[in-house]
Amino acid sequence: MLCVEELINLDPFQQLSKEQLEWVCDRAQTVELPASEVLAHEGDPGRGLFILVKGKMNLTRRSQGVEIPIGQHEAPSFFGEIPVLTDEPVPVTIRALTDCNLYEIKAEDFRKLLHECRDFERMVFRIMERRMRGLESFIRGREKMAALGTLTAGLAHELNNPASALVRTLGEMPAAILELQRMNLVYGQRNVEEAHTQNWLRVRDQGYDAILNNRLDPVTLSDRETVLLEWLEDYGVKQAWKLAEPLAEGGVEVETLDKMMERWRNDETELREMGLHWLSLSFEVMSMIKHGLRGAERISELVQAMKSYSYLDQGVQQEVNVHQGLEDTLRLFVHKLKCGIQVQRNYDQHLPKILAYGSELNQVWTNLIDNAIDAMDGKGLLEITTHHCDRFAHIDIIDSGSGIPPEIQTRIFEPFFTTKSVGRGSGLGLETVRRIVENRHHGTLSFESQPGRTCFTIRLPSF
């Protein structure tokens, strides 16, 4: 049985009278917990107040599928007040590190004590506030890391394709360039007249222009490739299909090949086909350069978006282009958007810049866009609309998802409130959005939701 001497080791209980302490001891129920046993799982309903008189308890919180230690309780101590007083599920998993002796005070008995003794109530709420701040600080840090991890994973995914293409291109180019040099040397040894050489160079340069400027549509390209393949096979070129595609990309006509190859048809050396191979390989190298450049530009674009998103090398508060921040965020979410979400932009091109904490404002776009993607389950329409009115920049982020149920709409900005499963949602995403918009930027945040359309509206002071 719990005794008064064990209770008064805890500061809040020192505020109770002897009669109240004895009343608590009479109602306390004994709980014995062996090491490694779980007292309460994260997400369980609250039970009551626990008095730990012997042993040590470990507190963990599930994040991204992993149990993260966030603290401990060591005897003598008490815990369990948060779910009782907030009427929310248990925010952490509580597990015995050693064999533990505890006493449980029922929730209604605990609340009765709070009402009867204001000093006891004041101390309990002060301790609870400190614990809530610590838990919130930990979760904010984890949430920022999780958001960074999500963006990093997306960025790595988007960087992989252009980087791989660039590596593949650079790996193939040395052999192609060496072969072109060899062909040039063999051709030069024949002392061919300048006019014929210039004709080859003209065809090559016209092909470069066609490749670099995408002058042929896919249908025309396919038709031309078929015609060229037939010509090459008739000419007797082995593996003609390897030459047909690059020659088609270069816009070469069979009439041109007839004219250029007329003098070489009866040549018994490799020069009989070498002009065709030289032209095809030249176009392949140019295509390699084009695709490699495109990959390098994509990498540069993504790196710039990440740098702009995080506002590296800039002051804490600065003039911010809202559209740029939205676009940077969308670029970093492209791996999620391209699976079935259409993005519709309705930007007011006259929207003025605002004075803001750029990296924090991008957290707002990240949270709202990520929530919208989740709400649409990867398929739907994401609309982003901006306009300027009464010295405020208005930003609407609209999704075509299932909507927010009416019964929870009044609670979505509450700290730790989430509809996501344990370990997936911290309940601080929208609370963070509101804090950044309203407290940091003196703006307003509102929303309207029904099935098929949820709209979050942010109003930020402009100048």
Side-chain angles (χ1 to χ4, degrees), residues 14 17 19 131 144 192 269 296 309 319-320 325 328 341 358 372 377 392 403 413:
Q14 295 173 7
S17 66
E19 290 76 15
R131 289 175 176 174
K144 286 181 180 179
V192 182
T269 69
Y309 175 89
E319 291 184 17
V320 169
D328 289 337
I341 293 178
D377 198 23
F392 277 83
F413 295 115

Side-chain angles (χ1 to χ4, degrees), residues 123-373:
M123 290 195 70
V124 168
F125 273 100
R126 194 175 297 155
I127 292 169
M128 185 184 79
E129 181 187 18
R130 186 168 65 247
R131 289 175 176 174
M132 290 282 283
R133 278 202 308 267
L135 179 60
E136 184 176 337
S137 176
F138 170 83
I139 295 174
R140 283 196 198 286
R142 289 296 305 177
E143 189 168 82
K144 286 181 180 179
M145 291 300 293
L148 180 60
T150 298
L151 293 177
T152 302
L155 186 63
H157 179 82
E158 289 303 308
L159 285 171
N160 182 62
N161 288 339
S164 297
L166 188 56
V167 169
R168 186 168 57 252
T169 296
L170 293 175
E172 294 172 352
M173 282 187 68
I177 291 172
L178 287 173
E179 179 60 14
L180 284 174
Q181 289 176 339
R182 189 193 70 81
M183 291 182 192
N184 290 337
L185 181 60
V186 172
Y187 180 81
Q189 290 173 342
R190 292 291 293 266
N191 296 316
V192 182
E193 65 271 17
E194 181 69 18
H196 186 69
T197 302
Q198 289 301 319
N199 287 336
W200 280 108
L201 294 176
R202 186 179 67 256
V203 174
R204 183 201 63 183
D205 292 345
Q206 289 172 350
Y208 284 173
D209 181 66
I211 291 169
L212 292 174
N213 294 291
N214 300 311
R215 298 204 181 279
L216 297 180
D217 62 85
V219 175
T220 302
L221 190 63
S222 178
D223 291 343
R224 181 164 297 182
E225 186 176 338
T226 301
V227 174
L228 285 168
L229 180 59
E230 292 178 359
W231 187 95
L232 291 166
E233 289 175 342
D234 289 342
Y235 191 81
V237 177
K238 294 180 179 180
Q239 295 184 316
W241 57 271
K242 288 187 177 180
L243 279 64
E245 182 179 353
L247 290 175
E249 288 181 353
V252 177
E253 303 277 1
V254 292
E255 293 80 9
T256 302
L257 295 184
D258 278 330
K259 181 179 178 181
M260 298 299 298
M261 298 304 296
E262 182 180 356
R263 68 175 292 168
W264 303 104
R265 281 183 180 273
N266 299 320
D267 196 298
E268 296 180 355
T269 69
E270 67 172 308
L271 284 166
R272 185 181 184 278
E273 295 183 10
M274 197 173 71
L276 299 170
H277 289 279
W278 176 83
L279 200 58
S280 173
L281 191 55
S282 296
F283 293 158
E284 282 190 43
V285 169
M286 184 53 68
S287 291
M288 290 178 193
I289 294 172
K290 174 186 173 182
H291 293 136
L293 180 60
R294 185 180 299 164
E297 288 173 344
R298 178 60 177 157
I299 292 170
S300 177
E301 177 186 296
L302 288 167
V303 171
Q304 182 57 41
M306 194 64 184
K307 182 177 180 181
S308 176
Y309 175 89
S310 59
Y311 283 81
L312 293 176
D313 306 323
Q314 298 186 31
V316 175
Q317 194 175 39
Q318 60 272 312
E319 291 184 17
V320 169
N321 183 325
V322 170
H323 296 156
Q324 184 65 50
L326 288 166
E327 287 301 307
D328 289 337
T329 305
L330 288 171
R331 284 190 191 96
L332 299 177
F333 272 117
V334 71
H335 63 293
K336 288 188 173 184
L337 295 170
K338 66 184 179 184
C339 294
I341 293 178
Q342 178 186 352
V343 180
Q344 179 177 314
R345 300 165 174 84
N346 306 306
Y347 290 166
D348 178 357
Q349 298 304 323
H350 301 291
L351 191 74
K353 291 184 177 181
I354 64 173
L355 191 64
Y357 299 94
S359 60
E360 293 186 20
L361 202 55
N362 281 343
Q363 288 183 44
V364 172
W365 314 140
T366 298
N367 275 302
L368 293 179
I369 291 173
D370 198 22
N371 283 350
I373 293 171

